[in-house]
Amino acid sequence: FLRNPERNFGIFMNADRLELEGDEVRLIGRWFRSEEETVLSTGRYSPDLDSFTLMIRGRTYDFDRVGDDPASEYFARGRDPEAYRYLAPPALADSWEVGTLADVGMSLEPLREMVETEIDPPARSVHALYVHGVLIARHGKLVFEDYFHGFHRGRSHDTRSASKSATSFLVGAAIQAGEIAGTDLPVYETIGGDRFGAGLEPLARRVTLEHLLTMSSGLDCDDRDPDSPGNEDRLQSQSENPDWYDYTLGLDMIRAPGERAVYCSAGSNLVGNVLAAASGERLEDLFHRLVASPLDIDRYHLYLQPPGEPYMGGGIHWMPRDFLKLGQVILDGGAWNGRRILSEEFAARSISDLYELRERGYGYLWWTIDVPFRDRSVEVFFAGGNGGQVVMGVPELELLVSFFAGNYSDRVMFRIQEELVPEYVLRAIVEE
């Protein structure tokens, strides 16, 4: 199967095995949601080069054998990894205070077990866990940082929809800086003034920034419904209107604002339009001034819409240590190293159970769940993105955990917050 850090063709093809007959190579599996096994792709094997080709989705890919290279990025820590050896994170010019696991009352053994039993084993299936990085901070100190499959702290990672939480963060920072008055800004009026005129339907006039932050706008926008015109895939694949803001503003209202939450990436992206219109500042400049600069973030990569504005529905590439800072600010009530970034009220509301969405709590573009810890459960907030991009905070334990992974569109990604965090990371806590 074909697996790479940014996409996961294998899961959609449900690839299972390769077969060779003569010099013909056949990739066998079951297409997504199909029960019937079939030939997914064919190609040719070259015995002289010990390599083969496959045609996948209209492109030809060349495959060479991994061979005896012990450092191949196919493996998490090499072909035959030694027993896991812990190294405390180094102090860098990124303003993270660092320490050791012992400094914050945590044990190495459960984390070593996690690496050796969950991360190290070579993939035998397209559904194997594919972790790229793990970071842990406690009591404000970064105490665990490790990377796998060739990733490292100097390599940025796509965070997919986990970056929606950064959109919320930017709103809170803009309020704190006095750039906007609050979350009750009317969306259509703020963006267009009189542009929409008397023809704007009454429900649309009631949509506020708060509704966009909580996925409760009422717009015909549902990422889980392929027939919804506001579905993220339809938004980004349509070519009739390259202005994604305008496309979203033109969606019908199918329920009253605030009635219920429906996952809508286009609505999260529209937050950026509201912020730029209300502040009078370009969105990328606002993001740098209010988020990146105060958090000592030097390198990041904004995903752009066709006209050039940053897309605020996800997809920002962050350096791993920097992305973790967003969770630390929320955990610390809106401050970073004593500097006020968000108000305490906004930080708290961001991770409150304002709505139920996908059987989880939802605040301002942050999720909430309960996870087991010893003989009880603890409340957790998290930013989550496709593939296994997670920043999880446990306020009761002053704990912050981040995973980066490549299990795109595969339910195995949920093992991170449902199993790896409670069974290994929380078990590593020896002092509450």
Side-chain angles (χ1 to χ4, degrees), residues 76-233:
R77 293 193 302 124
R79 178 182 291 274
D80 298 303
E82 299 176 349
Y84 182 73
R85 186 166 64 95
Y86 167 70
L87 294 175
L92 303 176
D94 60 4
S95 66
W96 263 113
E97 183 180 357
V98 297
T100 67
L101 290 166
D103 290 340
V104 297
M106 297 185 69
S107 167
L108 171 62
E109 292 313 308
L111 302 178
R112 176 186 285 126
E113 181 183 348
M114 178 180 71
V115 172
E116 294 179 351
T117 63
E118 301 285 358
I119 299 175
D120 277 349
R124 303 300 182 195
S125 162
V126 292
H127 305 292
L129 202 59
Y130 188 25
V131 174
H132 299 157
V134 183
L135 295 89
I136 300 173
R138 193 169 190 221
H139 303 322
K141 293 182 179 180
L142 181 64
V143 296
F144 187 94
E145 178 188 19
D146 215 336
Y147 304 93
F148 313 94
H149 296 287
F151 282 82
H152 51 84
R153 68 173 59 92
R155 179 177 175 180
S156 66
H157 202 289
D158 185 358
T159 56
R160 297 295 185 91
S161 284
S163 280
K164 285 183 172 69
S165 300
T167 301
S168 163
F169 195 100
L170 178 57
V171 170
I175 294 172
Q176 180 65 25
E179 297 293 340
I180 62 175
T183 61
D184 58 351
L185 285 175
V187 170
Y188 286 83
E189 180 182 334
T190 301
I191 292 174
D194 297 330
R195 163 187 159 194
F196 297 99
L200 183 65
E201 61 180 298
L203 286 180
R205 296 184 186 279
R206 290 166 49 189
V207 179
T208 66
L209 183 56
E210 172 102 0
H211 294 130
L212 297 181
L213 289 172
T214 56
M215 300 281 189
S216 64
S217 69
L219 289 166
D220 191 356
C221 172
D222 184 349
D223 287 0
R224 278 196 165 182
D225 180 0
D227 295 325
S228 172
N231 175 295
E232 184 178 37
D233 290 339

Side-chain angles (χ1 to χ4, degrees), residues 1-2 8-19 24-43 53-59 126:
F1 63 93
L2 182 65
N8 186 5
F9 288 169
I11 183 62
F12 295 108
M13 304 171 76
N14 207 6
D16 179 69
R17 66 187 185 278
L18 288 169
E19 293 181 352
E24 184 182 59
V25 177
R26 292 191 290 265
L27 182 63
I28 310 297
R30 295 177 175 83
W31 288 110
F32 186 58
R33 294 181 178 173
S34 173
E35 297 297 325
E36 183 179 351
E37 189 172 86
T38 187
V39 176
L40 303 169
S41 176
T42 60
T53 62
L54 283 176
M55 177 71 75
I56 300 176
R57 293 189 173 184
R59 297 184 180 183
V126 292

Side-chain angles (χ1 to χ4, degrees), residues 102-404:
D103 290 340
V104 297
M106 297 185 69
S107 167
L108 171 62
E109 292 313 308
L111 302 178
R112 176 186 285 126
E113 181 183 348
M114 178 180 71
V115 172
E116 294 179 351
T117 63
E118 301 285 358
I119 299 175
D120 277 349
R124 303 300 182 195
S125 162
V126 292
H127 305 292
L129 202 59
Y130 188 25
V131 174
H132 299 157
V134 183
L135 295 89
I136 300 173
R138 193 169 190 221
H139 303 322
K141 293 182 179 180
L142 181 64
V143 296
F144 187 94
E145 178 188 19
D146 215 336
Y147 304 93
F148 313 94
H149 296 287
F151 282 82
H152 51 84
R153 68 173 59 92
R155 179 177 175 180
S156 66
H157 202 289
D158 185 358
T159 56
R160 297 295 185 91
S161 284
S163 280
K164 285 183 172 69
S165 300
T167 301
S168 163
F169 195 100
L170 178 57
V171 170
I175 294 172
Q176 180 65 25
E179 297 293 340
I180 62 175
T183 61
D184 58 351
L185 285 175
V187 170
Y188 286 83
E189 180 182 334
T190 301
I191 292 174
D194 297 330
R195 163 187 159 194
F196 297 99
L200 183 65
E201 61 180 298
L203 286 180
R205 296 184 186 279
R206 290 166 49 189
V207 179
T208 66
L209 183 56
E210 172 102 0
H211 294 130
L212 297 181
L213 289 172
T214 56
M215 300 281 189
S216 64
S217 69
L219 289 166
D220 191 356
C221 172
D222 184 349
D223 287 0
R224 278 196 165 182
D225 180 0
D227 295 325
S228 172
N231 175 295
E232 184 178 37
D233 290 339
R234 292 187 63 175
L235 166 71
Q236 297 189 7
S237 62
Q238 58 85 29
S239 57
E240 292 79 12
N241 190 349
D243 185 337
W244 292 352
Y245 290 149
D246 186 65
Y247 180 94
T248 304
L249 290 166
L251 295 172
D252 291 336
M253 295 291 298
I254 58 174
R255 67 182 65 86
E259 183 176 310
R260 69 184 180 95
V262 176
Y263 197 80
C264 170
S265 296
S268 172
N269 181 51
L270 195 59
V271 170
N273 197 189
V274 176
L275 287 175
S279 67
E281 187 173 356
R282 295 199 317 171
L283 189 57
E284 57 268 37
D285 294 336
L286 200 67
F287 183 90
H288 188 79
R289 180 167 63 85
L290 299 182
V291 178
S293 183
L295 298 185
D296 296 309
I297 297 175
D298 296 325
R299 291 177 55 199
Y300 56 92
H301 312 275
L302 298 172
Y303 175 38
L304 302 182
Q305 303 175 65
E309 301 97 337
Y311 179 70
M312 302 308 291
I316 300 176
H317 287 236
W318 300 80
M319 310 307 287
R321 289 170 60 134
D322 288 337
F323 191 53
L324 190 66
K325 294 174 182 178
L326 300 185
Q328 190 63 53
V329 171
I330 297 294
L331 201 63
D332 285 346
W336 173 250
N337 288 337
R339 179 176 180 177
R340 175 63 53 192
I341 310 295
L342 316 174
S343 70
E344 290 187 21
E345 294 77 14
F346 190 93
R349 190 163 175 79
S350 295
I351 57 172
S352 298
D353 291 341
L354 304 180
Y355 285 86
E356 181 178 311
L357 183 58
R358 296 181 180 177
E359 300 180 345
R360 297 181 173 91
Y362 205 70
Y364 284 170
L365 304 178
W366 288 87
W367 301 88
T368 63
I369 55 173
D370 291 337
V371 299
F373 175 65
R374 297 179 182 165
D375 59 350
R376 65 184 192 277
S377 63
V378 289
E379 294 182 353
V380 170
F381 68 85
F382 71 96
N386 193 0
Q389 326 316 323
V390 179
V391 172
M392 299 184 72
V394 190
E396 182 178 337
L397 303 175
E398 294 185 58
L399 178 72
L400 196 62
V401 185
S402 182
F403 278 78
F404 299 88

